Amino acid sequence: MTWLSDSALSRLRAAMDVPDLTGTRYQFLEKLGRGGMGEVYSVEDTVLGRRVALKVIAITDASGDLEKRLLQEARVIAQLEHPGIVPVHDAGTLPDGRVFYTMKLVTGSRLDQRLAELSNLADRLRIFEKICEAVSFAHARGVLHRDLKPQNVMVGRFGEVLVMDWGLSKILRESAFSANVVRHSAVRYHEADTAHGMVVGTPGYMAPEQKRGEELDQRADVYSLGAILQFLLDSLEVPARAVAAIAGKAMAVERAARYSSVKDLASDVAHYLDGLPVTAYPESWVSRAWRWTVRNRAWLLLILAYLAMRTLFILWRGR
Amino acid sequence: MPDDTQIGGPAGRFPVTRGSLLAAARSSDSDERQRALGTLIAAYWKPVYKYIRLRWQKDNDGAKDLTQEFFVRLLEKDFLDSYDPARARLRTFLRVCVDRFISNQEKAAQRQKRGSNQQILSLDFETAEGELRQVEIPSPENMDDFFAHEWARSVFSLAVKRLQDECFAHGKHIHFQLFQLYDIEEGGKELTYAQVAERFGIKPSDATNYLAYARREFRRIVLDQLREMTASEEEFRREARGLLGVEVS
């Protein structure tokens, strides 16, 4: 039997890892990284002459569970047509038996990697608003993400923000959209959901009820968004108490104490950016007056300038 | 490629059934049981031998005898009956069994039994000893990783042998040779497909297709072997993760 050196073992591992694209329209370019449940590669779509990202499960699965989950992820994303959600182009099975789907190749960096370039709180909050828009849209279509974290947000070169990795998403039962996804899926309705009591998500960004494996609603994603907001604040030198209060409310242990929807959370952030009061942060009259002054400083300066001119005019007339 | 064990059929050929090897190893059917154990031995004897040499600091002959005796016990006794897949992976269980076995052997001072250097199982220890000279000696605290790494080497070696057998049986000699050149031998990756195609007298497009075929088959064989050697889907995924170096959620 052939002696396999360590370098031969590494080459064999790599050979096993590379998706088999023979006979498909795709040509292998490079490995991009790992997403939930699978690996992501950059491939060339030879028919359309463009680069796309190909996600494929790492190993075949006797139970077919991983295949079902990857396909469900592709179907969920395909139904969520939104600028903040990466579009899916194609899905199928490779010659080596692994299920795959292709999606738009996003050139940019993960939010956690981009943070150092975003020294301004307002810039960070505008990105956060875009994340909220995408998640709120998914909620309106009856889909919970369940694994929101900075590593699952891509910020493109032109400022576009994309919420990635919907592999742990949960389809809410009451949605008409969910019936659509499930009808077109090999996954039966009761299988489309994660079994009750099973814990999925990322510690630190998971709502307490998610950690306990309880039934979830959109407030679980509100919690994760609060954790992302806190992450955006943590490295800032200047404290932003009102924004910290927004993050705190979103991350309340009791879900009844959180924002009831992502829309409400985003609204509070938008109010902060516009210099308006936020529901999460009760202010003293001094703070309120200062915020009013800052917000209306242009008008105030105009009035002050007018008053100064009038005073000078009166003084000049009185000479 | 010569076989370095006769146990479990030629080169430890894996059973064609998709059932668990473990269930077969516990079977009351003697033939099925022997074949399953033979398969396990084919994958594990080299890691066990090397582990005994390094972890237990045994010389060549001592490690040979202990390896022989350990696997003879495995064949004769109901060793695997005490294995609970819920508590540990099979690889870990077997390593712990080796440790217990040697520890008990030393306590009982039964070395005289091994004095005869009697060969019971057909295992090519000289090859294993030669291989051992080519690996970096691990520190004592890294012995578990060493055992896992040598197990992976053993699984991959068996898979390469099986791929060769299957390719040759189907007249796909060039497919295997391309695979060997590109993925096993040093420096093969530096050749372009055009250079390789010229060397084998085939078209460059055929070179890519042949190589893809061999890689696909190799992947299938490795995962089939792994599935047979693991007791549950969870263990399979964990072992695949370790073997392939990938994360599988």
Side-chain angles (χ1 to χ4, degrees):
Chain A
M1 210 156 47
T2 304
W3 152 254
L4 297 175
S5 64
D6 285 352
S7 57
L9 274 183
S10 299
R11 284 193 296 279
L12 287 170
R13 280 194 172 108
M16 282 187 69
D17 200 25
V18 172
D20 182 5
L21 302 175
T22 43
T24 71
R25 61 195 284 173
Y26 306 106
Q27 213 165 51
F28 180 82
L29 294 173
E30 62 176 323
K31 185 171 180 174
L32 295 174
R34 194 186 73 80
M37 89 181 108
E39 321 251 292
V40 185
Y41 298 87
S42 165
V43 296
E44 172 94 13
D45 180 339
T46 55
V47 176
L48 296 175
R50 64 176 178 180
R51 287 182 173 207
V52 294
L54 181 140
K55 185 169 180 176
V56 61
I57 50 168
I59 56 163
T60 46
D61 179 16
S63 67
D65 179 49
L66 285 174
E67 281 91 340
K68 284 176 189 168
R69 276 173 58 192
L70 194 85
L71 269 183
Q72 190 196 322
E73 179 182 23
R75 287 185 173 112
V76 165
I77 303 171
Q79 298 289 323
L80 296 175
E81 289 182 57
H82 186 275
I85 297 168
V86 67
V88 164
H89 301 316
D90 185 16
T93 307
L94 295 177
D96 60 17
R98 289 188 278 176
V99 169
F100 77 98
Y101 70 83
T102 59
M103 58 188 150
K104 180 185 173 183
L105 181 64
V106 183
T107 48
S109 48
R110 286 177 0 198
L111 180 58
D112 56 320
Q113 294 163 339
R114 178 62 75 87
L115 202 63
E117 295 170 31
L118 302 165
S119 55
N120 185 314
L121 174 62
D123 289 345
R124 294 185 182 191
L125 292 183
R126 282 187 199 102
I127 287 176
F128 184 75
E129 278 186 308
K130 289 182 183 173
I131 302 169
C132 288
E133 280 170 22
V135 177
S136 183
F137 175 80
H139 286 181
R141 307 296 304 271
V143 176
L144 295 186
H145 188 286
R146 294 201 297 182
D147 196 20
L148 291 165
K149 55 186 174 182
Q151 292 82 352
N152 284 344
V153 175
M154 286 289 287
V155 183
R157 282 163 54 200
F158 303 105
E160 65 271 34
V161 176
L162 290 144
V163 177
M164 313 288 288
D165 234 325
W166 294 78
L168 296 181
S169 62
K170 174 191 163 95
I171 301 168
L172 294 174
R173 294 177 187 282
E174 63 267 24
S175 161
F177 160 82
S178 61
N180 196 30
V181 168
V182 176
R183 191 170 59 245
H184 291 94
S185 171
V187 186
R188 286 205 301 279
Y189 197 81
H190 67 277
E191 291 170 335
D193 189 8
T194 311
H196 182 64
M198 185 176 164
V199 177
V200 293
T202 304
Y205 290 89
M206 244 195 290
E209 66 270 23
Q210 195 168 349
K211 284 182 195 162
R212 294 192 294 266
E214 293 171 7
E215 194 69 36
L216 302 179
D217 60 23
Q218 54 191 6
R219 287 171 293 182
D221 279 349
V222 167
Y223 182 97
S224 305
L225 286 168
I228 292 177
L229 186 58
Q230 188 58 56
F231 170 80
L232 293 174
L233 286 179
D234 280 345
S235 56
L236 281 177
E237 286 177 9
V238 183
R241 285 188 191 136
V243 185
I246 295 172
K249 182 174 176 181
M251 294 175 73
V253 175
E254 294 298 325
R255 60 178 126 182
R258 290 177 212 151
Y259 293 97
S260 58
S261 69
V262 174
K263 208 173 164 184
D264 290 348
L265 165 62
S267 168
D268 242 5
V269 172
H271 278 197
Y272 175 82
L273 281 169
D274 291 341
L276 293 169
V278 298
T279 62
Y281 188 61
E283 294 170 297
S284 66
W285 71 268
V286 178
S287 305
R288 209 163 23 217
W290 173 248
R291 186 174 44 71
W292 187 90
T293 307
V294 171
R295 183 163 177 254
N296 295 292
R297 61 186 179 278
W299 285 109
L300 281 173
L301 284 172
L302 206 63
I303 292 165
L304 284 172
Y306 172 75
L307 290 174
M309 290 287 287
R310 285 283 295 179
T311 309
L312 285 171
F313 182 69
I314 291 165
L315 289 173
W316 179 74
R317 289 268 311 262
R319 279 173 62 184
Chain B
M1 273 185 210
D3 297 345
D4 54 16
T5 172
Q6 297 302 312
I7 299 167
R13 183 173 296 283
F14 287 80
V16 287
T17 57
R18 298 274 304 163
S20 164
L21 200 65
L22 192 70
R26 288 164 165 172
S27 169
S28 54
D29 181 330
S30 166
D31 287 348
E32 191 179 350
R33 184 178 149 81
Q34 289 296 314
R35 189 180 60 167
L37 287 171
T39 303
L40 272 182
I41 292 170
Y44 277 99
W45 80 263
K46 274 189 184 175
V48 166
Y49 170 75
K50 292 172 187 175
Y51 180 76
I52 292 172
R53 282 276 283 125
L54 300 181
R55 161 72 178 81
W56 290 92
Q57 301 281 307
K58 298 295 175 189
D59 61 20
N60 187 346
D61 286 338
K64 272 187 205 173
D65 293 344
L66 284 164
T67 305
Q68 287 274 4
E69 204 160 328
F70 175 75
F71 284 111
V72 166
R73 294 257 180 125
L74 190 75
L75 286 167
E76 287 172 354
K77 299 207 170 197
D78 300 332
F79 240 144
L80 290 170
D81 285 356
S82 59
Y83 172 58
D84 178 3
R87 292 180 60 194
R89 55 184 83 180
L90 183 61
R91 175 161 52 81
T92 310
F93 172 79
L94 285 175
R95 185 180 49 72
V96 172
C97 283
V98 171
D99 286 338
R100 280 198 197 135
F101 167 73
I102 295 175
S103 180
N104 289 339
Q105 288 290 91
E106 289 189 340
K107 279 182 196 161
Q110 290 178 339
R111 292 184 194 86
Q112 67 275 17
K113 275 191 175 180
R114 291 183 267 111
S116 59
N117 200 21
Q118 187 184 5
Q119 288 278 323
I120 303 164
L121 304 175
S122 172
L123 304 174
D124 181 5
F125 285 109
E126 298 317 310
T127 304
E129 189 61 25
E131 289 175 11
L132 201 53
R133 283 193 286 272
Q134 297 183 63
V135 301
E136 200 174 322
I137 303 301
S139 55
E141 64 270 20
N142 289 326
M143 276 298 162
D144 291 358
D145 291 343
F146 172 76
F147 186 75
H149 191 67
E150 287 307 311
W151 172 77
R153 197 193 307 277
S154 179
V155 170
F156 273 70
S157 300
L158 288 171
V160 168
K161 179 71 180 78
R162 184 161 155 192
L163 176 68
Q164 184 189 30
D165 290 348
E166 290 188 4
C167 283
F168 284 13
H170 293 96
K172 296 181 187 295
H173 294 69
I174 297 178
H175 298 64
F176 180 77
Q177 286 162 359
L178 269 170
F179 176 77
Q180 194 169 27
L181 178 67
Y182 250 80
D183 293 330
I184 300 177
E185 291 174 8
E186 299 289 339
K189 278 245 166 30
E190 288 156 20
L191 296 170
T192 64
Y193 283 127
Q195 288 172 319
V196 171
E198 195 181 340
R199 184 185 291 191
F200 286 97
I202 55 176
K203 291 187 288 187
S205 58
D206 285 342
T208 56
N209 288 336
Y210 289 4
L211 187 61
Y213 168 86
R215 284 174 173 170
R216 184 164 65 235
E217 287 303 298
F218 179 72
R219 181 184 166 85
R220 178 186 60 75
I221 291 167
V222 169
L223 293 179
D224 279 356
Q225 285 183 176
L226 205 56
R227 203 177 289 289
E228 282 165 350
M229 282 192 286
T230 48
S232 67
E233 187 62 26
E234 194 193 347
E235 188 187 357
F236 166 71
R237 287 192 200 175
R238 274 189 294 163
E239 292 293 33
R241 189 164 51 222
L243 202 65
L244 305 180
V246 297
E247 285 296 322
V248 184
S249 49

